[in-house]
Amino acid sequence: MPEHWFWFLATMGCVVWYSTITVYVAIRGAMDIKHMLRRLAGNGEEEQE
């Protein structure tokens, strides 16, 4: 490991960055889908009246 410390740190940095972006996109996507479904449900009720 001592002779490859740079590549170890670079790999760990990429893994942490990728994991952070993945979690962020998943949370924001879930919120967006929830908002979209709520808006669609509201539009359906307005059309029936």
Side-chain angles (χ1 to χ4, degrees):
M1 161 65 186
E3 66 274 0
H4 299 295
W5 63 269
F6 173 79
W7 295 113
F8 177 76
L9 290 177
T11 302
M12 287 301 107
C14 289
V15 169
V16 168
W17 174 79
Y18 186 79
S19 299
T20 303
I21 296 299
T22 301
V23 170
Y24 176 76
V25 168
I27 291 171
R28 295 290 298 190
M31 289 173 28
D32 191 34
I33 290 171
K34 186 177 179 180
H35 177 71
M36 177 189 66
L37 291 174
R38 196 177 289 158
R39 194 177 68 210
L40 286 173
N43 287 343
E45 291 175 1
E46 291 173 4
E47 290 177 5
Q48 292 176 358
E49 292 180 6

Short mmCIF file of all heavy atoms in Angstrom, two decimals:
data_model
loop_
_atom_site.label_atom_id
_atom_site.label_comp_id
_atom_site.label_asym_id
_atom_site.label_seq_id
_atom_site.Cartn_x
_atom_site.Cartn_y
_atom_site.Cartn_z
N MET A 1 0.81 -1.21 0.00
CA MET A 1 0.00 0.00 0.00
C MET A 1 0.85 1.27 0.00
O MET A 1 0.48 2.21 -0.68
CB MET A 1 -0.96 -0.09 1.19
CG MET A 1 -1.60 1.17 1.68
SD MET A 1 -2.72 1.98 0.58
CE MET A 1 -2.98 3.43 1.56
N PRO A 2 1.96 1.38 0.72
CA PRO A 2 2.71 2.64 0.76
C PRO A 2 3.14 3.14 -0.61
O PRO A 2 3.16 4.34 -0.85
CB PRO A 2 3.93 2.32 1.62
CG PRO A 2 3.54 1.16 2.45
CD PRO A 2 2.56 0.38 1.61
N GLU A 3 3.48 2.25 -1.54
CA GLU A 3 3.94 2.69 -2.85
C GLU A 3 2.78 3.11 -3.75
O GLU A 3 3.00 3.74 -4.78
CB GLU A 3 4.80 1.62 -3.52
CG GLU A 3 4.05 0.35 -3.89
CD GLU A 3 3.98 -0.67 -2.77
OE1 GLU A 3 4.51 -0.43 -1.67
OE2 GLU A 3 3.39 -1.74 -3.00
N HIS A 4 1.56 2.79 -3.38
CA HIS A 4 0.39 3.12 -4.21
C HIS A 4 -0.58 4.04 -3.48
O HIS A 4 -1.78 4.02 -3.75
CB HIS A 4 -0.33 1.84 -4.64
CG HIS A 4 0.51 0.91 -5.45
ND1 HIS A 4 0.97 1.23 -6.70
CD2 HIS A 4 1.00 -0.33 -5.17
CE1 HIS A 4 1.70 0.23 -7.17
NE2 HIS A 4 1.73 -0.73 -6.26
N TRP A 5 -0.11 4.86 -2.58
CA TRP A 5 -0.99 5.72 -1.78
C TRP A 5 -1.77 6.69 -2.65
O TRP A 5 -2.93 6.97 -2.39
CB TRP A 5 -0.19 6.46 -0.71
CG TRP A 5 0.84 7.41 -1.27
CD1 TRP A 5 2.14 7.12 -1.55
CD2 TRP A 5 0.63 8.77 -1.65
NE1 TRP A 5 2.77 8.22 -2.08
CE2 TRP A 5 1.86 9.25 -2.15
CE3 TRP A 5 -0.46 9.63 -1.61
CZ2 TRP A 5 2.01 10.56 -2.62
CZ3 TRP A 5 -0.30 10.93 -2.07
CH2 TRP A 5 0.93 11.38 -2.56
N PHE A 6 -1.15 7.23 -3.71
CA PHE A 6 -1.85 8.18 -4.56
C PHE A 6 -3.07 7.54 -5.22
O PHE A 6 -4.16 8.11 -5.24
CB PHE A 6 -0.91 8.75 -5.64
CG PHE A 6 -1.64 9.59 -6.65
CD1 PHE A 6 -1.98 10.90 -6.33
CD2 PHE A 6 -1.99 9.08 -7.89
CE1 PHE A 6 -2.68 11.69 -7.25
CE2 PHE A 6 -2.67 9.86 -8.80
CZ PHE A 6 -3.02 11.17 -8.49
N TRP A 7 -2.89 6.35 -5.77
CA TRP A 7 -3.99 5.69 -6.48
C TRP A 7 -5.07 5.25 -5.51
O TRP A 7 -6.26 5.27 -5.85
CB TRP A 7 -3.48 4.52 -7.31
CG TRP A 7 -2.59 5.02 -8.40
CD1 TRP A 7 -1.26 4.81 -8.53
CD2 TRP A 7 -2.97 5.88 -9.49
NE1 TRP A 7 -0.78 5.48 -9.64
CE2 TRP A 7 -1.81 6.13 -10.25
CE3 TRP A 7 -4.17 6.44 -9.90
CZ2 TRP A 7 -1.84 6.93 -11.39
CZ3 TRP A 7 -4.19 7.24 -11.04
CH2 TRP A 7 -3.02 7.47 -11.76
N PHE A 8 -4.67 4.86 -4.31
CA PHE A 8 -5.66 4.50 -3.29
C PHE A 8 -6.51 5.72 -2.93
O PHE A 8 -7.75 5.63 -2.89
CB PHE A 8 -4.96 3.95 -2.04
CG PHE A 8 -5.91 3.61 -0.93
CD1 PHE A 8 -6.69 2.47 -0.99
CD2 PHE A 8 -6.04 4.45 0.16
CE1 PHE A 8 -7.57 2.17 0.02
CE2 PHE A 8 -6.93 4.16 1.18
CZ PHE A 8 -7.70 3.01 1.11
N LEU A 9 -5.88 6.86 -2.69
CA LEU A 9 -6.62 8.07 -2.35
C LEU A 9 -7.49 8.55 -3.52
O LEU A 9 -8.63 8.99 -3.32
CB LEU A 9 -5.67 9.18 -1.92
CG LEU A 9 -4.96 8.97 -0.58
CD1 LEU A 9 -3.99 10.11 -0.32
CD2 LEU A 9 -5.96 8.83 0.54
N ALA A 10 -6.97 8.46 -4.73
CA ALA A 10 -7.74 8.87 -5.90
C ALA A 10 -8.97 7.96 -6.08
O ALA A 10 -10.08 8.45 -6.35
CB ALA A 10 -6.88 8.82 -7.16
N THR A 11 -8.80 6.67 -5.90
CA THR A 11 -9.92 5.73 -6.01
C THR A 11 -10.95 5.97 -4.93
O THR A 11 -12.16 6.01 -5.21
CB THR A 11 -9.41 4.28 -5.93
OG1 THR A 11 -8.45 4.07 -6.98
CG2 THR A 11 -10.54 3.30 -6.08
N MET A 12 -10.51 6.15 -3.69
CA MET A 12 -11.44 6.41 -2.59
C MET A 12 -12.19 7.73 -2.80
O MET A 12 -13.37 7.83 -2.51
CB MET A 12 -10.71 6.42 -1.25
CG MET A 12 -10.28 5.05 -0.76
SD MET A 12 -11.67 3.92 -0.57
CE MET A 12 -11.45 2.82 -1.95
N GLY A 13 -11.49 8.73 -3.31
CA GLY A 13 -12.15 10.01 -3.60
C GLY A 13 -13.25 9.84 -4.64
O GLY A 13 -14.34 10.41 -4.51
N CYS A 14 -12.97 9.07 -5.68
CA CYS A 14 -13.97 8.83 -6.72
C CYS A 14 -15.16 8.04 -6.18
O CYS A 14 -16.31 8.35 -6.52
CB CYS A 14 -13.35 8.07 -7.89
SG CYS A 14 -12.21 9.06 -8.85
N VAL A 15 -14.90 7.05 -5.35
CA VAL A 15 -15.98 6.25 -4.76
C VAL A 15 -16.87 7.13 -3.88
O VAL A 15 -18.10 7.05 -3.95
CB VAL A 15 -15.41 5.05 -3.98
CG1 VAL A 15 -16.48 4.37 -3.14
CG2 VAL A 15 -14.78 4.05 -4.93
N VAL A 16 -16.26 7.97 -3.05
CA VAL A 16 -17.03 8.86 -2.18
C VAL A 16 -17.84 9.84 -3.01
O VAL A 16 -19.03 10.07 -2.76
CB VAL A 16 -16.10 9.58 -1.18
CG1 VAL A 16 -16.83 10.71 -0.46
CG2 VAL A 16 -15.52 8.60 -0.18
N TRP A 17 -17.22 10.43 -4.04
CA TRP A 17 -17.92 11.39 -4.89
C TRP A 17 -19.09 10.72 -5.60
O TRP A 17 -20.21 11.26 -5.62
CB TRP A 17 -16.94 11.97 -5.92
CG TRP A 17 -17.61 12.86 -6.92
CD1 TRP A 17 -18.00 14.14 -6.75
CD2 TRP A 17 -17.97 12.49 -8.25
NE1 TRP A 17 -18.58 14.61 -7.90
CE2 TRP A 17 -18.59 13.62 -8.83
CE3 TRP A 17 -17.85 11.32 -9.00
CZ2 TRP A 17 -19.07 13.61 -10.14
CZ3 TRP A 17 -18.32 11.31 -10.30
CH2 TRP A 17 -18.93 12.45 -10.85
N TYR A 18 -18.87 9.55 -6.19
CA TYR A 18 -19.93 8.84 -6.91
C TYR A 18 -21.07 8.47 -5.98
O TYR A 18 -22.25 8.61 -6.33
CB TYR A 18 -19.35 7.60 -7.59
CG TYR A 18 -20.34 6.89 -8.47
CD1 TYR A 18 -20.63 7.37 -9.74
CD2 TYR A 18 -21.01 5.74 -8.02
CE1 TYR A 18 -21.54 6.73 -10.55
CE2 TYR A 18 -21.94 5.11 -8.83
CZ TYR A 18 -22.19 5.60 -10.09
OH TYR A 18 -23.11 4.98 -10.88
N SER A 19 -20.75 8.01 -4.78
CA SER A 19 -21.78 7.63 -3.82
C SER A 19 -22.61 8.85 -3.41
O SER A 19 -23.83 8.77 -3.30
CB SER A 19 -21.15 7.01 -2.57
OG SER A 19 -20.44 5.85 -2.92
N THR A 20 -21.95 9.98 -3.19
CA THR A 20 -22.65 11.19 -2.80
C THR A 20 -23.60 11.65 -3.91
O THR A 20 -24.76 11.98 -3.64
CB THR A 20 -21.64 12.31 -2.49
OG1 THR A 20 -20.75 11.86 -1.47
CG2 THR A 20 -22.31 13.58 -2.06
N ILE A 21 -23.13 11.66 -5.13
CA ILE A 21 -23.97 12.08 -6.25
C ILE A 21 -25.14 11.12 -6.43
O ILE A 21 -26.28 11.55 -6.68
CB ILE A 21 -23.14 12.16 -7.56
CG1 ILE A 21 -22.07 13.25 -7.43
CG2 ILE A 21 -24.02 12.41 -8.77
CD1 ILE A 21 -22.61 14.64 -7.20
N THR A 22 -24.91 9.83 -6.28
CA THR A 22 -25.97 8.83 -6.44
C THR A 22 -27.07 9.03 -5.40
O THR A 22 -28.26 9.00 -5.72
CB THR A 22 -25.39 7.41 -6.34
OG1 THR A 22 -24.40 7.25 -7.37
CG2 THR A 22 -26.46 6.37 -6.50
N VAL A 23 -26.69 9.23 -4.15
CA VAL A 23 -27.67 9.45 -3.09
C VAL A 23 -28.43 10.75 -3.33
O VAL A 23 -29.66 10.79 -3.18
CB VAL A 23 -26.98 9.43 -1.70
CG1 VAL A 23 -27.92 9.90 -0.61
CG2 VAL A 23 -26.44 8.04 -1.40
N TYR A 24 -27.73 11.80 -3.71
CA TYR A 24 -28.38 13.09 -3.97
C TYR A 24 -29.40 12.97 -5.10
O TYR A 24 -30.54 13.46 -4.97
CB TYR A 24 -27.31 14.13 -4.32
CG TYR A 24 -27.88 15.47 -4.71
CD1 TYR A 24 -28.37 16.34 -3.74
CD2 TYR A 24 -27.93 15.87 -6.04
CE1 TYR A 24 -28.90 17.57 -4.08
CE2 TYR A 24 -28.46 17.09 -6.39
CZ TYR A 24 -28.94 17.94 -5.41
OH TYR A 24 -29.47 19.15 -5.77
N VAL A 25 -29.04 12.33 -6.19
CA VAL A 25 -29.95 12.19 -7.33
C VAL A 25 -31.15 11.32 -6.94
O VAL A 25 -32.28 11.61 -7.34
CB VAL A 25 -29.20 11.61 -8.55
CG1 VAL A 25 -30.17 11.18 -9.64
CG2 VAL A 25 -28.22 12.64 -9.09
N ALA A 26 -30.92 10.28 -6.16
CA ALA A 26 -32.02 9.41 -5.73
C ALA A 26 -33.02 10.18 -4.87
O ALA A 26 -34.24 10.06 -5.05
CB ALA A 26 -31.48 8.21 -4.97
N ILE A 27 -32.52 10.98 -3.94
CA ILE A 27 -33.41 11.74 -3.06
C ILE A 27 -34.19 12.79 -3.85
O ILE A 27 -35.41 12.93 -3.71
CB ILE A 27 -32.61 12.37 -1.91
CG1 ILE A 27 -32.11 11.27 -0.97
CG2 ILE A 27 -33.44 13.40 -1.15
CD1 ILE A 27 -31.12 11.76 0.07
N ARG A 28 -33.48 13.54 -4.69
CA ARG A 28 -34.16 14.58 -5.47
C ARG A 28 -35.15 13.96 -6.47
O ARG A 28 -36.22 14.52 -6.70
CB ARG A 28 -33.13 15.42 -6.24
CG ARG A 28 -32.22 16.24 -5.35
CD ARG A 28 -32.95 17.36 -4.69
NE ARG A 28 -33.46 18.26 -5.69
CZ ARG A 28 -33.99 19.44 -5.45
NH1 ARG A 28 -34.07 19.88 -4.23
NH2 ARG A 28 -34.44 20.19 -6.43
N GLY A 29 -34.80 12.81 -7.04
CA GLY A 29 -35.71 12.14 -7.97
C GLY A 29 -36.97 11.66 -7.28
O GLY A 29 -38.08 11.78 -7.80
N ALA A 30 -36.82 11.12 -6.07
CA ALA A 30 -37.99 10.66 -5.31
C ALA A 30 -38.89 11.84 -4.97
O ALA A 30 -40.13 11.74 -5.06
CB ALA A 30 -37.54 9.94 -4.05
N MET A 31 -38.30 12.97 -4.58
CA MET A 31 -39.10 14.16 -4.28
C MET A 31 -39.82 14.66 -5.52
O MET A 31 -40.99 15.05 -5.46
CB MET A 31 -38.20 15.26 -3.70
CG MET A 31 -37.72 14.96 -2.31
SD MET A 31 -36.51 16.11 -1.60
CE MET A 31 -36.83 17.64 -2.39
N ASP A 32 -39.15 14.62 -6.67
CA ASP A 32 -39.75 15.08 -7.91
C ASP A 32 -40.92 14.18 -8.32
O ASP A 32 -41.97 14.67 -8.73
CB ASP A 32 -38.69 15.13 -9.01
CG ASP A 32 -39.17 15.84 -10.25
OD1 ASP A 32 -39.96 16.79 -10.12
OD2 ASP A 32 -38.74 15.44 -11.35
N ILE A 33 -40.75 12.87 -8.21
CA ILE A 33 -41.81 11.94 -8.56
C ILE A 33 -43.00 12.11 -7.61
O ILE A 33 -44.16 12.11 -8.05
CB ILE A 33 -41.28 10.49 -8.53
CG1 ILE A 33 -40.33 10.27 -9.71
CG2 ILE A 33 -42.43 9.48 -8.58
CD1 ILE A 33 -39.57 8.97 -9.67
N LYS A 34 -42.72 12.29 -6.33
CA LYS A 34 -43.79 12.51 -5.35
C LYS A 34 -44.58 13.78 -5.71
O LYS A 34 -45.81 13.78 -5.68
CB LYS A 34 -43.18 12.63 -3.96
CG LYS A 34 -44.16 12.71 -2.85
CD LYS A 34 -43.44 12.74 -1.50
CE LYS A 34 -44.39 12.85 -0.36
NZ LYS A 34 -43.70 12.89 0.93
N HIS A 35 -43.88 14.85 -6.04
CA HIS A 35 -44.53 16.10 -6.42
C HIS A 35 -45.34 15.92 -7.71
O HIS A 35 -46.47 16.42 -7.81
CB HIS A 35 -43.47 17.20 -6.61
CG HIS A 35 -44.03 18.50 -7.06
ND1 HIS A 35 -44.79 19.30 -6.24
CD2 HIS A 35 -43.95 19.13 -8.25
CE1 HIS A 35 -45.15 20.37 -6.91
NE2 HIS A 35 -44.65 20.29 -8.14
N MET A 36 -44.80 15.20 -8.68
CA MET A 36 -45.49 14.98 -9.94
C MET A 36 -46.78 14.19 -9.72
O MET A 36 -47.83 14.54 -10.25
CB MET A 36 -44.59 14.22 -10.91
CG MET A 36 -45.25 13.88 -12.23
SD MET A 36 -44.27 12.78 -13.25
CE MET A 36 -44.28 11.29 -12.28
N LEU A 37 -46.71 13.13 -8.90
CA LEU A 37 -47.91 12.32 -8.65
C LEU A 37 -48.96 13.12 -7.89
O LEU A 37 -50.16 13.00 -8.17
CB LEU A 37 -47.53 11.06 -7.87
CG LEU A 37 -46.70 10.04 -8.65
CD1 LEU A 37 -46.26 8.91 -7.74
CD2 LEU A 37 -47.45 9.51 -9.84
N ARG A 38 -48.52 13.95 -6.95
CA ARG A 38 -49.46 14.79 -6.22
C ARG A 38 -50.15 15.79 -7.16
O ARG A 38 -51.35 16.02 -7.07
CB ARG A 38 -48.72 15.53 -5.10
CG ARG A 38 -49.65 16.11 -4.05
CD ARG A 38 -48.85 16.76 -2.94
NE ARG A 38 -48.18 15.75 -2.15
CZ ARG A 38 -47.12 15.97 -1.39
NH1 ARG A 38 -46.58 17.18 -1.34
NH2 ARG A 38 -46.57 15.01 -0.69
N ARG A 39 -49.36 16.37 -8.08
CA ARG A 39 -49.92 17.32 -9.04
C ARG A 39 -50.88 16.63 -10.01
O ARG A 39 -51.95 17.16 -10.32
CB ARG A 39 -48.79 18.00 -9.81
CG ARG A 39 -49.25 19.23 -10.56
CD ARG A 39 -48.10 19.90 -11.25
NE ARG A 39 -47.63 19.02 -12.32
CZ ARG A 39 -46.38 18.97 -12.75
NH1 ARG A 39 -45.47 19.74 -12.22
NH2 ARG A 39 -46.04 18.17 -13.73
N LEU A 40 -50.54 15.43 -10.46
CA LEU A 40 -51.42 14.70 -11.37
C LEU A 40 -52.72 14.32 -10.68
O LEU A 40 -53.79 14.38 -11.28
CB LEU A 40 -50.72 13.45 -11.91
CG LEU A 40 -49.63 13.69 -12.94
CD1 LEU A 40 -48.90 12.40 -13.24
CD2 LEU A 40 -50.21 14.28 -14.21
N ALA A 41 -52.65 13.92 -9.42
CA ALA A 41 -53.85 13.57 -8.68
C ALA A 41 -54.74 14.80 -8.50
O ALA A 41 -55.97 14.71 -8.61
CB ALA A 41 -53.48 12.99 -7.32
N GLY A 42 -54.15 15.95 -8.28
CA GLY A 42 -54.92 17.18 -8.14
C GLY A 42 -55.59 17.58 -9.44
O GLY A 42 -56.73 18.04 -9.46
N ASN A 43 -54.91 17.41 -10.57
CA ASN A 43 -55.49 17.76 -11.87
C ASN A 43 -56.64 16.84 -12.22
O ASN A 43 -57.62 17.27 -12.82
CB ASN A 43 -54.43 17.70 -12.97
CG ASN A 43 -53.45 18.86 -12.89
OD1 ASN A 43 -53.71 19.84 -12.25
ND2 ASN A 43 -52.33 18.71 -13.55
N GLY A 44 -56.56 15.58 -11.85
CA GLY A 44 -57.64 14.63 -12.14
C GLY A 44 -58.91 14.99 -11.41
O GLY A 44 -60.01 14.89 -11.94
N GLU A 45 -58.79 15.47 -10.18
CA GLU A 45 -59.97 15.85 -9.40
C GLU A 45 -60.61 17.11 -9.97
O GLU A 45 -61.83 17.24 -9.98
CB GLU A 45 -59.58 16.07 -7.94
CG GLU A 45 -59.19 14.80 -7.24
CD GLU A 45 -58.68 15.05 -5.83
OE1 GLU A 45 -58.65 16.22 -5.40
OE2 GLU A 45 -58.30 14.08 -5.16
N GLU A 46 -59.81 18.05 -10.45
CA GLU A 46 -60.34 19.29 -11.00
C GLU A 46 -61.14 19.05 -12.27
O GLU A 46 -62.14 19.69 -12.52
CB GLU A 46 -59.21 20.29 -11.27
CG GLU A 46 -58.56 20.81 -10.01
CD GLU A 46 -57.35 21.67 -10.31
OE1 GLU A 46 -57.07 21.90 -11.50
OE2 GLU A 46 -56.68 22.10 -9.36
N GLU A 47 -60.70 18.09 -13.09
CA GLU A 47 -61.39 17.80 -14.35
C GLU A 47 -62.75 17.16 -14.12
O GLU A 47 -63.66 17.34 -14.90
CB GLU A 47 -60.52 16.90 -15.23
CG GLU A 47 -59.28 17.59 -15.77
CD GLU A 47 -58.42 16.63 -16.56
OE1 GLU A 47 -58.83 15.48 -16.75
OE2 GLU A 47 -57.32 17.03 -16.96
N GLN A 48 -62.92 16.40 -13.04
CA GLN A 48 -64.18 15.71 -12.78
C GLN A 48 -65.26 16.66 -12.30
O GLN A 48 -66.44 16.40 -12.43
CB GLN A 48 -63.98 14.59 -11.75
CG GLN A 48 -63.14 13.46 -12.28
CD GLN A 48 -62.87 12.41 -11.21
OE1 GLN A 48 -63.28 12.54 -10.08
NE2 GLN A 48 -62.17 11.35 -11.60
N GLU A 49 -64.90 17.79 -11.74
CA GLU A 49 -65.90 18.72 -11.19
C GLU A 49 -66.58 19.54 -12.22
O GLU A 49 -66.51 19.62 -13.31
CB GLU A 49 -65.21 19.67 -10.18
CG GLU A 49 -64.76 18.94 -8.96
CD GLU A 49 -64.09 19.90 -7.98
OE1 GLU A 49 -64.09 21.12 -8.21
OE2 GLU A 49 -63.55 19.41 -7.00
#
